[in-house]
Amino acid sequence: MGKTHCTAIVLAAGQGKRMGTKVHKQYLLLGDRPVLYYSLKAFEDSPLIDEVFLITGAGEEEYCRESIVNPYHFTKVSRIMHGGAERYHSVWNGLQELEEHGYVFIHDGARPFVDRGIIERAYEEVQEHKACVVGMPVKDTIKMADEHGNVETTPDRSKLWMVQTPQVFENHLVRGAYSMLMRESYINVTDDAMVVEQMLRYPIRLVYGSYENIKITTPEDLEMAEVFLKRRSEKL
């Protein structure tokens, strides 16, 4: 049995308001390269990924092509398209361009430390379960708050995971879920797994990611990413 066709949708349409910079977070420099470079590089180098759809902010398509895709020779980037007002609009734009059969890895471009091991583990799980998300068990105790800011309950920490990306699905499964979502009048979803959970009631498999697979959202995240990058370069 041959390898199933895999597409990575890399989301780089966010504005990064919490970063407090004029430059969008995915274009900030990490080391001497843009944050977005690292996730594109991981998918470019993975033998499991056949093509990459890069979703940018409106009007940023040419910038990404001329400043990132072409200079770093990301030959698997087959499409560069603009996103929408919300994350789910951007994902939907990409999903509509997928082949009918295959798997899709949906990944935040602001998570630079996705690596070959994470991609391989997700691929193994999606073949069996059709839907899986990368994440890690939480380290801290989590409190649920009521509307007054008081502790309402303390969930069992052993059952709690921090969800990351990539989130990986069979193409027609996730596209069907998103198609249903786009017909809704009120949409409140924060990740792709939530769409599949709510629209289809389909079980999602959890896959170990990495505690380094952080999303760069604040200046502190960027500082932490520099530490991780330095550690990785020292291992090479």
Side-chain angles (χ1 to χ4, degrees):
M1 183 178 174
K3 188 193 78 67
T4 302
H5 187 275
C6 291
T7 303
I9 294 178
V10 177
L11 302 168
Q15 296 185 9
K17 295 174 183 175
R18 283 175 285 182
M19 184 60 72
T21 61
K22 291 182 180 179
V23 178
H24 294 177
K25 60 189 177 184
Q26 60 271 20
Y27 306 136
L28 293 171
L29 290 183
L30 172 59
D32 59 353
R33 294 179 178 176
V35 167
L36 178 59
Y37 160 87
Y38 297 94
S39 54
L40 291 176
K41 176 69 171 170
F43 290 119
E44 180 77 23
D45 290 349
S46 171
L48 295 174
I49 303 300
D50 297 289
E51 62 178 338
V52 177
F53 295 171
L54 177 58
I55 315 293
T56 75
E60 296 172 8
E61 300 94 327
E62 198 59 27
Y63 169 82
C64 283
R65 187 185 311 279
E66 296 302 326
S67 300
I68 300 175
V69 174
N70 289 347
Y72 295 113
H73 308 292
F74 291 137
T75 59
K76 289 184 182 178
V77 177
S78 58
R79 295 175 187 264
I80 301 176
M81 63 188 82
H82 67 80
E86 301 292 342
R87 183 185 188 280
Y88 62 85
H89 291 124
S90 297
V91 174
W92 177 234
N93 286 355
L95 292 177
Q96 293 178 86
E97 302 298 323
L98 289 177
E99 293 187 4
E100 183 178 355
H101 300 291
Y103 301 125
V104 57
F105 288 64
I106 304 172
H107 185 67
D108 297 320
R111 288 187 189 272
F113 297 116
V114 60
D115 58 29
R116 177 172 292 200
I118 291 173
I119 294 169
E120 289 175 351
R121 290 193 293 275
Y123 180 73
E124 289 176 7
E125 293 294 339
V126 77
Q127 289 181 94
E128 182 175 353
H129 300 283
K130 299 184 180 182
C132 66
V133 298
V134 166
M136 292 298 287
V138 302
K139 297 178 180 179
D140 300 321
T141 296
I142 305 296
K143 301 288 187 183
M144 292 282 291
D146 63 19
E147 63 272 21
H148 305 296
N150 298 321
V151 173
E152 187 171 79
T153 184
T154 305
D156 181 357
R157 186 173 67 183
S158 67
K159 296 182 178 180
L160 299 176
W161 283 55
M162 302 180 295
V163 172
Q164 305 170 348
T165 66
Q167 304 195 355
V168 189
F169 308 91
E170 197 173 64
N171 287 359
H172 69 83
L173 178 79
V174 68
R175 190 159 48 194
Y178 263 88
S179 179
M180 294 173 66
L181 178 78
M182 300 310 290
R183 294 195 291 268
E184 295 282 313
S185 57
Y186 173 70
I187 297 178
N188 181 27
V189 294
T190 54
D191 75 344
D192 310 297
M194 196 172 172
V195 179
V196 176
E197 293 163 28
Q198 292 190 359
M199 296 295 107
L200 302 179
R201 305 297 180 202
Y202 196 88
I204 311 293
R205 185 74 168 180
L206 289 163
V207 183
Y208 279 100
S210 164
Y211 286 116
E212 291 188 2
N213 187 26
I214 61 172
K215 185 175 183 181
I216 295 179
T217 305
T218 66
E220 292 80 12
D221 296 330
L222 193 59
E223 290 179 16
M224 185 63 69
E226 292 282 1
V227 173
F228 293 157
L229 185 65
K230 185 173 184 291
R231 183 188 302 167
R232 288 190 174 199
S233 65
E234 288 172 350
K235 290 179 180 178
L236 297 177

